[in-house]
Each structure stands twice: as structure tokens, then as C-alpha cells.
Amino acid sequence: MRTAVCTAAIMLVTQAVAAAPDFSRDIQPMLKARCVNCHGAKLQMHGLRLDRKADALKGGESGVPAVVPGKSAQSLLIKYVSANSDVVMPPSGPRLTSEQIILLRTWIDEGASWPDDSSTVTESKASQHWAFQPITRPPVPSV
């Protein structure tokens, strides 16, 4: 009896942890597949980027944040992908499924955990690596 209760408790905790959306596993691939073509590094329609945390939190030309952590109802991203406005995103191709929209809503409502942009960090680390140093002649050893 005790073993069955412990097993059930472990399964419930495991399911709860698995159900929590993870940015790298769940959200980022969705944004890359459906949003970044128009709102990424190469093209920022209406001034919005969804490939960087700071830009998504800032929003585009409207000045309204695309993602408001903890408040999916105030996030333009949810408003546009769930067709609760005149603007419908993505404008072409298949719409996001209801499961994907629920995943986005849950992620935003849970605080929109998004790792900080590490592009500047990796660039500075890369520049210190020997392979990225300019080629120079070594000094002639003294005999």
C-alpha cells in the first residue's frame, strides 16, 4: 500500500514537471519555426524581434510588449496567435495549434522564463580562444 502511494506521488510530480513549458525545449523551436522568419535577425516586421529576450519584452513599433511575463492576457503575442484581434499571426501557412497556444500561454503565465541573450558572452569567450588570435611569428629561441 505504502509503495503504491509513493509510486503515484512520484508519477504526479514527474507529470507536473514534464507539463511545465521549457523555453529551449518547447518555446524556442516554435518561435524559430513560425515567427523568426518575419521577426528575427534578418527581418523585423513592424520593428519586432522574437529571437532575443530583450526585444520580445520591449515589443515592436506599437510600443506594446509582445511578451508580458506572468500576464498572457496582456501579451500581444497571445492576442495575435489566438486570433483575438484583427491581426492574425502567422499571416501565412498553418496557424498554431490550440496545444501550441496553450503552451505559449502557460509559459508566459509562469513568468516567461527565457535564458538571457548570451551572444555577447560567447563572442567575448571566442575572441580569447587561441584559434581566434591573429597569426604571429613566435620569437626565436635563444641558444
Side-chain angles (χ1 to χ4, degrees), residues 29-38 90-96 100:
M30 186 185 332
L31 292 176
K32 280 184 179 180
R34 303 298 297 139
C35 306
V36 171
N37 288 338
C38 298
S92 61
R95 304 284 315 278
L96 294 182
Q100 290 173 317

Side-chain angles (χ1 to χ4, degrees), residues 110-134:
E110 291 181 358
S113 172
W114 189 328
D116 290 330
D117 296 328
S118 59
S119 58
T120 56
V121 173
T122 55
E123 287 172 10
S124 65
K125 284 183 182 177
S127 65
Q128 300 301 319
H129 191 272
W130 67 267
F132 297 104
Q133 301 303 315

Side-chain angles (χ1 to χ4, degrees), residues 45-126:
M45 294 184 79
H46 302 285
L48 177 63
R49 283 186 76 162
L50 293 174
D51 62 332
R52 295 192 307 199
K53 178 181 182 178
D55 293 324
L57 296 176
K58 181 179 73 173
E61 293 171 357
S62 69
V64 179
V67 176
V68 180
K71 301 177 182 177
S72 65
Q74 295 178 9
S75 299
L76 281 183
L77 180 64
I78 296 299
K79 183 178 179 183
Y80 291 162
V81 299
S82 61
N84 292 338
S85 70
D86 296 337
V87 180
V88 177
M89 290 293 153
S92 61
R95 304 284 315 278
L96 294 182
T97 65
S98 59
E99 292 82 17
Q100 290 173 317
I101 295 171
I102 290 169
L103 195 64
L104 277 173
R105 277 186 198 276
T106 306
W107 172 69
I108 292 172
D109 286 335
E110 291 181 358
S113 172
W114 189 328
D116 290 330
D117 296 328
S118 59
S119 58
T120 56
V121 173
T122 55
E123 287 172 10
S124 65
K125 284 183 182 177

